[in-house]
Amino acid sequence: MGKPTHDVEYEQMLLSRYGQLHHRRGRRADGALERSAYILLSRIRIQGPMSIGELSDAFGLDASTLNRQTAAAMRAGLVERIPDPDGGMARKFRITDEGARTLDAEREGLVASLDEILADWSAEDVAAFASYLRRFNTDIERRHGRPWPRP
């Protein structure tokens, strides 16, 4: 393939394909979340209530895209609009109890899939893989100026 970065690009493309297999469009009959809702809920849960402007800054997306995503999440009962807890003018989105339950169930399903895929790996190999992914993601975040909060 050429340079090692060509191999990384190709494998990253395949990895993103795997993610698409688990996050179909819309909420499926089995309750699974679409990928954008999964990421949106994950960010709001870890950071707390966020306005459209804050979400736009966090994701690097325009407000119209986030308005569509948050409207769909509201219709599904996954988030709700609340007054800014800090007294600001902009209303914020907060994850609902249903949103938290749905996010937890989705995450558990994804972890169970990963447990199956990585069943033959040593604990050290899984930890090393997680460490490389974290390093890769934090380097991307640093380069784009959009760090993702981690627990």
Side-chain angles (χ1 to χ4, degrees), residues 87-100:
M89 295 298 292
R91 294 178 53 85
K92 296 197 173 192
F93 293 92
R94 173 176 63 194
I95 192 170
T96 62
D97 290 342
E98 176 63 20

Side-chain angles (χ1 to χ4, degrees), residues 52 56 61-70:
I52 288 290
S56 179
L61 297 172
D62 61 76
S64 64
T65 298
L66 287 159
N67 277 320
R68 284 190 301 277
Q69 290 179 2
T70 54

Side-chain angles (χ1 to χ4, degrees), residues 129-149:
F129 184 55
S131 177
Y132 282 125
L133 284 173
R134 185 178 309 106
R135 181 177 171 190
F136 182 74
N137 281 325
T138 56
D139 284 349
I140 291 170
E141 293 161 10
R142 183 177 29 76
R143 181 176 177 90
H144 293 283
R146 290 192 174 88
W148 189 277

Side-chain angles (χ1 to χ4, degrees), residues 34-81:
E34 70 172 65
R35 185 173 176 271
S36 62
Y38 182 77
I39 295 168
L40 177 76
L41 292 176
S42 294
R43 182 65 184 246
I44 292 172
R45 172 183 264 171
I46 200 164
Q47 191 162 336
M50 298 177 74
S51 67
I52 288 290
E54 290 167 332
L55 290 166
S56 179
D57 289 344
F59 292 114
L61 297 172
D62 61 76
S64 64
T65 298
L66 287 159
N67 277 320
R68 284 190 301 277
Q69 290 179 2
T70 54
M74 283 180 58
R75 281 191 305 275
L78 304 173
V79 296
E80 61 188 351
R81 277 197 123 137

